Amino acid sequence: MTKETRKHRVLIAKPGLDGHDRGAKYIARTLRDAGFEVVYTGIRRTPEEIAAAAVQEDVAAIGLSSLSGAHLRLFPAVVEALRKVAAPDIPVLGGGVIPEEDFTVLKEAGIAEIFTPGTPVEKIIAAFSDACEAHYQKRNIG
Amino acid sequence: MTSIAELIAGIKNGEPRAIGRAISIVEDGGVHGHSILAALDVERIEAATVVGLTGPPGAGKSTLTNQLIAHYRSQGKRIGIIAIDPSSPISGGALLGDRIRMMAHAPDQHVVVRSMATRGRLGGLCAAAGAAVRVMAGSGCNIVIIETVGVGQSEMDIVRLADITALVLAPGLGDDIQAMKAGLLEVADILVVNKADCPGAESLAMDLDGVVRERQKAPDNLIPKVCMTVASEGKGIGELAEEIARLDAACRASARHLLRRRQSQHLEILDWAMEMLRPRLLELISSETDDPVSDPRVKAMEILKKIN
Amino acid sequence: MTKHPQLDSWQENELQKSLSRFPERKAKFVNHGGQEIPRVALPDTINDEYVKKLGFPGRYPFTRGVQPTMYRGRLWTMRQYAGFSTAADSNRRYRYLLDQGTTGLSVAFDLPTQIGYDSDDPLSSGEVGKVGVAIDSLADMEMLFDAIPLDKVSTSMTINAPAAILLAMYVAVAEKQGVALEKLQGTIQNDVLKEYVARGTYIFPPRPSLRLITNIFKWCAEHTPAFNTISISGYHIREAGSTAVQEVALTLANGCTYVQAALDAGLELDVFARRLAFFFNSSSDLLEEVAKFRAARRLWARLMKERFGAKKPASLMLRFHTQTAGHTLTAQQIDNNIVRVTIQALAAVMGGTQSLHTNSRDEALSLPTEASVRTALRTQQIIAHESGVANTVDPLAGSYYIEQLTDRIEQQALELIDTIDKSSGVVACIENGFIQRKIENASYAYQQEIEKGERIIVGVNEFQSEEENPPELLRVNPQVEEAQIANLALVREQRDQTEVDSDLQRLRDAARSDDNLMPHILAAVKHYATLGEICNVLRSVFGEYRDRG
Ligand SMILES: Nc1nc2c(ncn2[C@@H]2O[C@H](COP(=O)(O)OP(=O)(O)OP(=O)(O)O)[C@@H](O)[C@H]2O)c(=O)[nH]1
Ligand SMILES: [Mg+2]
């Protein structure tokens, strides 16, 4: 395949039990319309399932969505699960109803970017794009 | 993941990360791809059974695949899945959702699932899927299932990559059967009537039985069978798996298996050739034909002559 | 004024009966100038066309409302959805709300409870007590309603897939309090169909879910006749991004599916139909929302009469609860949300709702604080007592725009219902993703309008301001999870395990047969079998549903 058709592959997942996937689906679709290949895992995923899927699909970034307030537990758990499957290099981005005071904790836990309901969609697309680019740079075979 | 040697060793050991990376690389078709493909275990590839699963949207292909995974896992087999979904013709992006139904198996190291977008490739899709099949088989998968929506020509080609093709239908999905008769019904080795719990399943099965009987060309033991399943409840899965195994054995015992493999190899080669040809052709065309052309066909022949 | 024979008959029958049974709140309703406010404003000329389309409140086709005097008789129930962390905390909040003048309780459960997992299940980790109260066993339910007499309150429980289990626990608490079951009032949501397309808290596949639902219908008709056995919900369909027309169409299509399932199970239409309740969203387009409620009422009456042949007026009435639209709340300039909620609440009241929940200003950020909940309740009280809209029935009737919109919504909703019917019905359309696709497309289009600035959301894509200080937020104490798990362990230790085992075995056998499952579930909860244990038994027989995404 030629360079110009290299696609950004990302995984959008909903960890935890909340079923409000309007936001996750919207982001998945928006990214598709921006030219990404988006693997969507559906709702109620465990961190282990998400990490395993990301590895199998060889995605360059993972987007998580949580609206139930369980993000402090779930997002870092995905980062941890990635470490366990030898994929700590895949960046994790998170969105949902997340109070600002949680940002620092999440960032320290390895979440690359955090989006809230007010984040403009261009910013989200750009963040995924950058994350993918950076990831491809890193993983080139030497 | 740094070196190709490490990657190759990883594939042989069935390491998910290596397999995932390798599929991306072979899909790209670059030099690294060659080294990987060349290093794969030929015997494993030969031994693996490649099953094509196709049918109209919503027939239950992914649900069925999920059940087949569980079935094969209970027999201790290692299984690979390639789930193909269309890319958006406008943005070139794709939403790949088949694996939703298989997520429960994700952490299982012996289940390898890969979603693939058609990427609007005229050719290329067979090449990419074929390469992924090789990597999966090379990692020790005994069975590789290719799931694709059975609507267009490119999907039909994909199906030809398989040793055994199952067409999945379900009642209540419209009168598509008539339209399908001509195409997919012809290439199918197994006809699956899924959603057997829903009204209309019996009569659909009878319809299909009729179609199959019209088709007398095949030798007796290869006449397509109609299997009834309820994928959502796991019913009829054992029977379907048995039928796949029976057919596979029968094909391997006859010349058919080799024929199929050769056919699929031709397809892959053709596909790669087209992929490689396309950019060169485009280049030649755009560099040569600014003036109005009276017969594009003649021009095409001229350009073709320049490539050799 | 030309009299129409129906006007007389309405006045003599419905109106008189209503006035004598429920006198109006005031002897005379007057405005500031002392002028009398009409009960129901009517056109000068009442012709057949008017009677057919609008008619009179409390009479078919119920366009103008389900009661003849509406809020002049009794105000809507002000019901605030609340419940968080532990049963003890929620119990305190309920008692506070009752003291503040709330007239109905509304219980929110945490996600593990809604999806049928105990608090100690690995899947529950991080979710216990987060979006509602955690209920594992009857012990939690006893705590939840401690010192709240169940014959005096009406309780609405937002519970779907495991509704039978929570209802059984509620019944068991009532029995312990010595309350006669006929006196139990309230509603269980019990609407699983919308979970598959909008809310996501499903457990079992559609067909066994429908069976559980009809089991509840039947058991309640015999034991708790005053309890609403289902709340057919468009709320979440709208929250998932549907249009107003889709909200009406998909909700009523689900309603028809439940009615048909109940008929197929041998239940009698005019017995269970009166116990069907509805639940709608009220969004910010005030006039469209008012028309939506009126259209839904008329369309349901017609469907029940013409499709199913219902006879009793009570079977034809669409009675509904409303919640203001959560998805319209913004995380920016959160005080603006109070204004949004006011507009939405006003639409619900002018549209004739039977009960109303108003969202709190901070809900886009977290669970609401007590102060915001109070403001939300005060909003309803201001509408009820100061705005004047409660003094006359269906105040917007006769507006050209409202009537056109009402007709249009009804017609387009009916078209969508017909399309679904022609495509083998709701369950088939869920399985093949048709309904999900419809909602997703609408949601995507709406969001795109916002992104492109074609639709202005104040404070979000226009009129932004420097963010003020972050508001004070309510947090669920992380120790809640540990405490809940410890309690559960205690319950398991203290109960009679052999009783539980045999109850669960009987339940399993019943699930495999055609038995009504309610008595078996009731027996099990009384012996403190947990929600997760009961759901696991049913999972083993029914299987689990997985969405196509
Ligand atoms: N009643 C019934 N429903 C089934 C059965 N198998 C699958 N389904 C349902 O049918 C729907 C579609 O199933 P999928 O497995 O996604 O179908 P698919 O063919 O993979 O669909 P696409 O990937 O979109 O082409 C889902 O809602 C399943 O739950 C069955 O045997 N009986
Ligand atoms: Mg599929």
Side-chain angles (χ1 to χ4, degrees):
Chain A
M1 197 177 54
T2 44
K3 264 155 251 103
E4 74 263 43
T5 52
R6 156 160 274 178
K7 288 281 177 242
H8 289 165
R9 271 174 84 85
V10 298
L11 184 107
I12 300 292
K14 272 192 75 61
L17 300 180
D18 96 83
H20 296 285
D21 54 4
R22 182 177 179 170
K25 280 182 170 165
Y26 179 69
I27 292 304
R29 223 165 136 165
T30 302
L31 290 173
R32 180 199 65 182
D33 287 354
F36 288 69
E37 278 178 7
V38 184
V39 180
Y40 182 60
T41 68
I43 62 172
R44 292 193 213 166
R45 294 308 165 201
T46 64
E48 290 72 28
E49 288 171 354
I50 293 169
V55 162
Q56 292 179 4
E57 298 290 355
D58 192 35
V59 295
I62 299 174
L64 302 176
S65 157
S66 165
L67 298 177
S68 67
H71 50 268
L72 281 182
R73 175 100 46 119
L74 292 170
F75 290 4
V78 172
V79 174
E80 183 52 37
L82 281 168
R83 205 166 287 146
K84 285 198 188 124
V85 294
D89 52 314
I90 303 180
V92 177
L93 298 78
V97 182
I98 300 169
E100 233 171 276
E101 59 197 70
D102 291 352
F103 285 16
T104 335
V105 186
L106 290 176
K107 292 235 157 124
E108 272 165 16
I111 309 300
E113 293 280 348
I114 296 152
F115 312 118
T116 58
T119 313
V121 77
E122 300 86 57
K123 213 172 139 186
I124 298 178
I125 295 173
F128 273 98
S129 220
D130 293 347
C132 287
E133 293 292 349
H135 183 72
Y136 293 136
Q137 291 294 323
K138 252 191 295 181
R139 79 177 187 194
N140 269 345
I141 291 191
Chain B
M1 213 59 61
T2 42
S3 80
I4 284 293
E6 274 176 299
L7 260 186
I8 292 169
I11 298 170
K12 292 207 166 138
N13 293 331
E15 285 164 21
R17 192 85 215 267
I19 298 167
R21 290 292 300 113
I23 292 176
S24 304
I25 295 167
V26 297
E27 239 192 305
D28 285 357
V31 270
H32 294 307
H34 300 315
S35 344
I36 292 172
L37 286 173
L40 292 176
D41 184 332
V42 187
E43 269 166 40
R44 280 182 175 178
I45 296 177
E46 171 51 31
T49 304
V50 184
V51 181
L53 216 57
T54 189
K61 301 178 291 297
S62 301
T63 314
L64 205 58
T65 304
N66 186 44
Q67 294 288 357
L68 284 171
I69 297 175
H71 178 86
Y72 287 126
R73 288 300 297 132
S74 75
Q75 300 183 334
K77 290 191 171 132
R78 178 175 165 92
I79 177 165
I81 316 289
I82 300 165
I84 299 174
D85 272 323
S87 297
S88 150
I90 303 160
S91 72
L95 202 51
L96 309 167
D98 287 310
R99 72 171 302 138
I100 289 175
R101 302 204 182 285
M102 310 163 200
M103 279 304 285
H105 296 288
D108 183 341
Q109 295 246 347
H110 294 294
V111 179
V112 187
V113 180
R114 181 65 174 230
S115 311
M116 205 173 264
T118 55
R119 295 193 181 167
R121 315 177 233 221
L122 281 175
L125 183 55
C126 287
V133 168
R134 284 161 198 276
V135 174
M136 286 184 180
S139 83
C141 289
N142 310 97
I143 314 271
V144 178
I145 295 179
I146 308 176
E147 179 194 332
T148 157
V149 182
V151 281
Q153 181 61 43
S154 59
E155 285 84 0
M156 297 246 307
D157 282 348
I158 287 287
V159 158
R160 294 210 178 91
L161 286 178
D163 299 325
I164 313 282
T165 297
L167 175 61
V168 185
L169 298 167
L173 290 174
D175 308 321
D176 293 342
I177 301 190
Q178 292 312 318
M180 291 204 134
K181 249 187 203 171
L184 285 169
L185 223 45
E186 292 293 311
V187 298
D189 304 301
I190 303 174
L191 300 170
V192 182
V193 174
N194 187 37
K195 307 199 186 180
D197 55 328
C198 294
E202 286 292 339
S203 73
L204 175 60
M206 262 154 59
D207 269 10
L208 291 174
D209 244 3
V211 177
V212 169
R213 226 160 293 141
E214 280 169 29
R215 214 171 94 186
Q216 289 294 355
K217 286 162 279 173
D220 279 353
N221 61 346
L222 296 179
I223 287 182
K225 219 172 143 172
V226 179
C227 292
M228 306 276 279
T229 57
V230 184
S232 50
E233 294 164 26
K235 288 188 185 137
I237 305 303
E239 289 81 348
L240 174 58
E242 246 165 57
E243 180 60 10
I244 293 172
R246 188 189 70 78
L247 269 178
D248 190 39
C251 286
R252 281 173 197 268
S254 72
R256 219 168 117 112
H257 177 72
L258 281 179
L259 210 71
R260 275 281 187 110
R261 287 269 162 131
R262 197 175 308 151
Q263 202 183 18
S264 86
Q265 190 163 313
H266 286 176
L267 254 171
E268 280 185 74
I269 297 171
L270 176 67
D271 231 31
W272 279 121
M274 303 277 275
E275 278 280 288
M276 295 168 194
L277 214 50
R278 211 178 141 75
R280 291 188 58 196
L281 285 173
L282 280 174
E283 198 179 316
L284 282 173
I285 294 168
S286 57
S287 69
E288 276 202 23
T289 53
D290 284 341
D291 303 328
V293 169
S294 59
D295 188 344
R297 191 168 159 273
V298 172
K299 191 79 202 169
M301 295 200 304
E302 271 172 35
I303 287 176
L304 266 183
K305 275 196 201 123
K306 291 194 180 165
I307 295 188
N308 42 42
Chain C
M1 196 203 232
T2 330
K3 284 264 167 126
H4 191 282
Q6 281 235 12
L7 176 58
D8 291 331
S9 102
W10 171 73
Q11 278 170 339
E12 283 158 27
N13 296 293
E14 282 92 340
L15 182 61
Q16 273 320 312
K17 212 186 283 168
S18 163
L19 286 173
S20 62
R21 289 231 324 256
F22 312 101
E24 294 191 343
R25 285 183 287 129
K26 296 178 190 170
K28 209 170 165 190
F29 284 84
V30 293
N31 64 17
H32 192 181
Q35 269 142 352
E36 184 155 0
I37 298 167
R39 177 175 295 125
V40 188
L42 293 168
D44 290 344
T45 314
I46 298 179
N47 54 26
D48 288 350
E49 164 89 9
Y50 170 84
V51 170
K52 192 167 153 251
K53 273 170 95 170
L54 298 170
F56 308 96
R59 174 176 277 205
Y60 186 83
F62 302 102
T63 315
R64 302 203 62 180
V66 291
Q67 295 116 8
T69 61
M70 286 304 288
Y71 309 129
R72 287 164 66 106
R74 197 167 61 87
L75 289 167
W76 62 92
T77 305
M78 300 178 192
R79 195 190 289 283
Q80 295 298 93
Y81 182 81
F84 52 97
S85 57
T86 62
D89 286 344
S90 296
N91 177 268
R92 264 193 298 282
R93 176 69 70 103
Y94 295 153
R95 291 205 233 166
Y96 169 81
L97 284 168
L98 290 171
D99 284 347
Q100 291 293 305
T102 297
T103 47
L105 294 181
S106 182
V107 187
F109 297 96
D110 72 354
L111 284 165
T113 306
Q114 294 186 48
I115 308 175
Y117 296 115
D118 285 335
S119 298
D120 59 357
D121 193 293
L123 283 169
S124 304
S125 166
E127 308 268 19
V128 175
K130 276 273 154 50
V131 300
V133 58
I135 300 289
D136 292 315
S137 74
L138 181 58
D140 296 320
M141 203 68 152
E142 288 163 356
M143 176 71 81
L144 187 65
F145 292 104
D146 184 40
I148 298 174
L150 296 190
D151 51 346
K152 299 284 181 342
V153 294
S154 122
T155 305
S156 159
M157 291 187 264
T158 302
I159 194 71
N160 293 280
I165 302 164
L166 277 302
L167 175 65
M169 290 181 184
Y170 191 75
V171 165
V173 173
E175 283 183 356
K176 287 201 167 180
Q177 286 188 356
V179 170
L181 297 189
E182 309 88 73
K183 290 215 174 132
L184 286 187
Q185 280 194 35
T187 307
I188 40 174
Q189 197 161 76
N190 200 23
D191 170 13
V192 179
L193 290 175
K194 63 94 173 50
E195 297 294 335
Y196 301 115
V197 301
R199 194 164 167 273
T201 66
Y202 43 74
I203 303 175
F204 317 113
R207 289 161 221 267
S209 296
L210 282 172
R211 170 198 172 177
L212 268 174
I213 291 168
T214 51
N215 282 178
I216 294 173
F217 284 3
K218 193 160 193 165
W219 190 89
C220 288
E222 286 159 20
H223 299 89
T224 58
F227 211 85
N228 293 317
T229 47
I230 193 166
S231 170
I232 306 163
S233 308
Y235 179 82
H236 316 90
I237 294 175
R238 190 69 177 280
E239 284 296 298
S242 84
T243 63
V245 168
Q246 287 167 349
E247 182 189 354
V248 172
L250 298 175
T251 309
L252 300 197
N254 287 349
C256 289
T257 308
Y258 295 125
V259 168
Q260 192 58 53
L263 291 173
D264 292 346
L267 276 72
E268 200 170 331
L269 183 61
D270 281 306
V271 173
F272 71 82
R274 63 192 311 125
R275 302 276 42 123
L276 305 177
F278 287 81
F279 173 21
F280 287 111
N281 197 302
S282 194
S283 194
S284 295
D285 185 336
L286 186 135
L287 298 176
E288 182 179 47
E289 292 302 283
V290 172
K292 177 189 81 181
F293 297 123
R294 301 171 85 243
R297 231 172 0 243
R298 186 162 71 199
L299 183 52
W300 181 248
R302 289 188 173 157
L303 288 169
M304 286 303 283
K305 189 171 178 149
E306 288 161 18
R307 280 207 185 172
F308 295 106
K311 306 238 158 39
K312 296 204 174 140
S315 313
L316 306 172
M317 283 180 202
L318 179 141
R319 296 167 300 120
F320 65 98
H321 171 68
T322 306
Q323 181 171 340
T324 56
H327 73 272
T328 64
L329 300 181
T330 64
Q332 300 86 344
Q333 304 177 25
I334 63 169
D335 284 340
N336 295 348
N337 291 329
I338 298 174
V339 183
R340 294 192 176 97
V341 166
T342 308
I343 294 170
Q344 297 164 358
L346 204 50
V349 170
M350 293 200 286
T353 193
Q354 275 57 61
S355 61
L356 178 61
H357 168 103
T358 32
N359 289 329
S360 302
R361 62 198 260 281
D362 45 3
E363 274 176 79
L365 298 169
S366 72
L367 284 170
T369 60
E370 211 155 88
S372 337
V373 172
R374 188 169 49 237
T375 305
L377 177 61
R378 295 287 180 260
T379 305
Q380 294 201 40
Q381 289 159 343
I382 291 169
I383 292 174
H385 301 288
E386 298 181 27
S387 80
V389 294
N391 295 339
T392 185
V393 175
D394 191 24
L396 295 187
S399 141
Y400 293 122
Y401 180 60
I402 285 286
E403 295 304 347
Q404 277 173 17
L405 204 53
T406 306
D407 292 351
R408 200 208 74 206
I409 292 174
E410 182 189 17
Q411 187 212 329
Q412 292 180 344
L414 185 58
E415 278 164 16
L416 182 51
I417 293 174
D418 283 340
T419 307
I420 291 170
D421 284 343
K422 285 202 196 86
S423 323
S424 313
V426 168
V427 171
C429 286
I430 290 171
E431 286 176 347
N432 66 30
F434 172 79
I435 294 175
Q436 294 92 316
R437 219 57 78 224
K438 280 250 163 223
I439 298 172
E440 270 165 49
N441 289 343
S443 155
Y444 191 66
Y446 178 90
Q447 208 59 41
Q448 290 272 301
E449 285 167 29
I450 296 174
E451 298 294 345
K452 292 192 186 125
E454 291 160 10
R455 178 184 290 277
I456 290 174
I457 308 291
V458 173
V460 175
N461 59 1
E462 271 271 41
F463 316 113
Q464 293 101 324
S465 48
E466 281 301 306
E467 244 356 278
E468 53 290 32
N469 294 332
E472 182 206 333
L473 299 177
L474 184 86
R475 282 214 177 245
V476 177
N477 182 342
Q479 270 116 54
V480 162
E481 187 158 327
E482 289 157 37
Q484 185 68 20
I485 292 173
N487 279 344
L488 176 57
L490 209 63
V491 167
R492 286 220 175 91
E493 212 178 281
Q494 290 174 348
R495 68 186 182 182
D496 182 339
Q497 190 60 38
T498 42
E499 294 272 26
V500 172
D501 289 341
S502 60
D503 283 341
L504 293 179
Q505 187 51 46
R506 271 193 291 275
L507 176 63
R508 182 166 307 151
D509 295 341
R512 291 203 182 104
S513 74
D514 284 336
D515 271 16
N516 191 323
L517 299 182
M518 267 307 286
H520 301 285
I521 293 173
L522 190 56
V525 303
K526 282 184 185 166
H527 289 125
Y528 296 85
T530 68
L531 174 100
E533 290 161 350
I534 294 172
C535 284
N536 281 339
V537 166
L538 297 179
R539 279 187 188 101
S540 73
V541 180
F542 295 155
E544 283 184 81
Y545 182 80
R546 265 276 158 228
D547 180 47
R548 59 188 292 122

